[in-house]
């Protein structure tokens, strides 16, 4: 049995007057890639934002680390980031007017020039995402959707991280780009990073996921191995309204 790096227990989140998460229970095994699936509006993005401290749980607990971990439920986002959690939001948070290099430097806390991004790490990122190197001195706004997504993930890993939270990275991408992304995420996983990835592309989810959690109406309604979920067409149909 693997240990869990992130544990949510009975997490409720309110956004203003709206009660969005209704008791989310979720465990993310260390070193694995966990797919967070579910229909539109199920609460996937709200769950990532709650983990990152961009929304705060009104009830329940978010723990980071082994054995339920450190209680991060009430921590502020910079403090949570400082523990080694990075978040790639759906809109990617890229500065279009800045170059790829400048975008990377902004992500490297305190770095003033490229020499201050760890060289070995930068080379590793270039290998994972060749477009980042190729367009290093170009405005990020000129990148394609897929290249922007790769830049967004590169920014998240410019410093070593234990846990990556990534929201729908394949959205709107061409199949060839999705294949590149699958390879890059597989390599990231091999490097030891734990990943919680929200996905709508079922093919992507199936090829990359070790574990799966499915949300509906602000709760996790199924969790288990991706292999078992992949084989259960009836379960997929009932939870997602489609089969893999
Ligand atoms: N800022 C917000 N204000 C009010 N309701 C929101 C806000 N963000 C999300 N919601 C609502 O919360 C529910 C879950 O949204 P979300 O977490 O974005 O779902 P998903 O990512 O699974 O599509 C939806 O019903 C959505 O309309
Ligand atoms: Mg979403």
């Amino acid at each position: 049995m693997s240990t869990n790096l992130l544990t949510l227990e009975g997490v409720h989140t309110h956004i203003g007057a709206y009660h969005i998460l209704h008791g989310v229970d979720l465990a993310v095994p260390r070193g694995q890639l966990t797919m967070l699936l579910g229909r539109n509006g199920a609460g996937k993005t709200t769950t990532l934002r709650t983990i990152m401290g961009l929304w705060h749980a009104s009830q329940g607990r978010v723990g980071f680390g082994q054995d339920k971990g450190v209680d991060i439920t009430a921590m502020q986002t910079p403090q949570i980031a400082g523990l080694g959690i990075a978040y790639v939001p759906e809109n990617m948070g890229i500065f279009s007017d800045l170059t790829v290099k400048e975008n990377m430097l902004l992500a490297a806390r305190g770095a003033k020039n490229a020499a201050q991004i760890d060289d070995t790490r930068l080379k590793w990122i270039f290998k994972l995402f060749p477009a980042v190197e190729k367009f290093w001195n170009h405005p990020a706004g000129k990148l394609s959707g897929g290249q922007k997504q790769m830049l967004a993930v590169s920014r998240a890993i410019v410093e070593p991280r234990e846990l990556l939270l990534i929201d729908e990275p394949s959205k709107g991408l061409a199949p060839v780009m999705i294949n590149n992304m699958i390879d890059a995420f597989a390599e990231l996983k091999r490097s030891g990073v734990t990943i919680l990835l929200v996905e709508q592309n079922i093919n992507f989810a199936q090829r990359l996921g070790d574990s799966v959690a499915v949300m509906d109406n602000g709760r996790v309604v199924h969790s288990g191995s991706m292999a078992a979920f992949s084989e259960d067409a009836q379960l997929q149909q009932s939870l997602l309204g489609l089969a893999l």
Side-chain angles (χ1 to χ4, degrees):
M1 278 304 290
S2 56
T3 59
N4 296 320
L5 181 61
L6 182 78
T7 312
L8 276 69
E9 294 172 298
V11 167
H12 289 250
T13 297
H14 288 76
I15 302 177
Y18 301 98
H19 190 172
I20 310 289
L21 300 186
H22 295 266
V24 172
D25 295 311
L26 173 69
V28 177
R30 182 188 289 276
Q32 289 195 13
L33 195 150
T34 300
M35 286 289 174
L36 191 57
L37 307 179
R39 296 183 177 96
N40 261 329
K44 304 180 298 294
T45 296
T46 305
T47 298
L48 296 192
R49 290 181 60 88
T50 301
I51 295 165
M52 206 60 211
L54 293 161
W55 301 123
H56 283 292
S58 49
Q59 199 184 312
R61 184 180 190 274
V62 183
F64 180 62
Q66 225 156 293
D67 300 324
K68 293 190 180 178
V70 180
D71 189 341
I72 65 168
T73 320
M75 281 186 191
Q76 298 303 314
T77 303
Q79 207 181 348
I80 293 170
L83 292 175
I85 306 180
Y87 172 51
V88 182
E90 220 180 322
N91 68 15
M92 301 180 285
I94 284 171
F95 301 96
S96 299
D97 296 338
L98 302 184
T99 64
V100 167
K101 175 184 172 180
E102 288 162 341
N103 270 276
M104 291 291 285
L105 287 174
L106 277 175
R109 277 168 294 178
K112 292 207 176 51
N113 56 60
Q116 283 173 268
I117 298 181
D118 179 83
D119 200 48
T120 316
R121 194 159 187 87
L122 196 57
K123 288 209 171 96
W124 175 67
I125 291 172
F126 286 167
K127 226 173 120 203
L128 279 175
F129 302 111
V132 172
E133 181 171 27
K134 189 170 170 203
F135 296 104
W136 190 239
N137 289 308
H138 293 242
K142 295 261 191 274
L143 300 181
S144 73
Q147 290 164 344
K148 279 184 187 145
Q149 192 59 252
M150 290 176 179
L151 172 58
V153 176
S154 299
R155 295 187 74 203
I157 58 173
V158 75
E159 291 182 11
R161 307 290 194 176
E162 274 201 271
L163 175 66
L164 295 181
L165 311 172
I166 309 176
D167 204 348
E168 297 205 37
S170 74
K171 202 174 187 179
L173 300 191
V176 60
M177 202 51 118
I178 292 178
N179 284 336
N180 290 346
M181 197 164 273
I182 287 174
D183 292 343
F185 284 149
E187 178 60 35
L188 258 185
K189 200 173 75 182
R190 276 193 293 275
S191 80
V193 185
T194 304
I195 304 173
L196 177 62
L197 204 155
V198 170
E199 196 42 69
Q200 296 275 8
N201 182 315
I202 292 306
N203 180 261
F204 187 121
Q206 188 180 24
R207 284 172 58 189
L208 208 53
D210 301 302
S211 308
V212 61
V214 185
M215 293 192 71
D216 193 27
N217 273 320
R219 288 185 188 85
V220 172
V221 292
H222 170 84
S223 54
S225 78
M226 181 54 89
F229 187 70
S230 290
E231 283 166 15
D232 196 335
Q234 220 171 344
L235 187 62
Q236 293 158 35
Q237 181 67 39
S238 72
L239 295 177
L240 302 172
L242 46 82
L244 287 181

